[in-house]
Amino acid sequence: MEKHNLVRSFSKQQTKFYILNHRHAMIPQLKSSLGREHKSWPDELSASLRKLGNFSGIFLSGVFVGRPELVVDLLLVGSVNADKLNVFLRTTSKQFGGELNYSIMTAQEFKLRRDTFDRFIKDVFDYPHITLLDKSDEKQEIKETAATEPAKATKSVAKPAVAKAVKKKQ
């Protein structure tokens, strides 16, 4: 499968991992074949992460995308239950054969760092990553969607503009 570029492998601390190449030409055929034979599997990682706290963003990078050399493996945006996080990290570290690099920040800090092109955030999003949850731009997306919809024809009467004098403050 590696020779045909269907999967890519990497090793971390004597454990070999495989990642499916979602851009391979055979993927649609494999999905349809597996879909007929099997029900979809629940995403255990996503479900486990969502139970750790109240998040507006969950981003996976590093070992989760086959690039263990990247700066962070897990970026959590929101509030986290520390005890649950420690249990999750112990379990996941055993599965991946080493410690996970993670970062936690508030939604305000994330927005500020993202909007100011912070180096850390840039490093996460410039390289391969998986977005499990991103509620940071929900309001903005709704506004953009409304602005891009075609205007409906309405009947209106044009009124002449009235000029008003405006005093400038000095």
Side-chain angles (χ1 to χ4, degrees), residues 11-28:
S11 297
K12 184 174 181 180
Q13 296 186 358
Q14 302 176 346
T15 303
K16 193 161 189 170
F17 297 93
Y18 294 92
I19 294 180
L20 183 65
N21 177 3
H22 291 281
R23 295 182 180 161
H24 194 278
M26 291 291 295
I27 294 301

Side-chain angles (χ1 to χ4, degrees), residues 61 67 70 117-129:
S61 185
R67 302 281 303 270
L70 294 179
F117 300 102
D118 178 75
R119 176 68 181 204
F120 175 76
I121 299 297
K122 189 170 174 15
D123 284 347
V124 172
F125 291 105
D126 281 354
Y127 292 99
H129 64 280

Side-chain angles (χ1 to χ4, degrees), residues 82-109:
D83 295 331
K84 289 181 180 180
L85 177 63
N86 287 331
V87 171
F88 171 82
L89 290 173
R90 275 195 304 266
T91 304
T92 309
S93 294
K94 287 177 187 175
Q95 292 174 341
F96 281 96
E99 286 188 19
L100 290 178
N101 296 318
Y102 68 98
S103 180
I104 303 167
M105 58 184 69
T106 64
Q108 294 82 11
E109 180 185 5

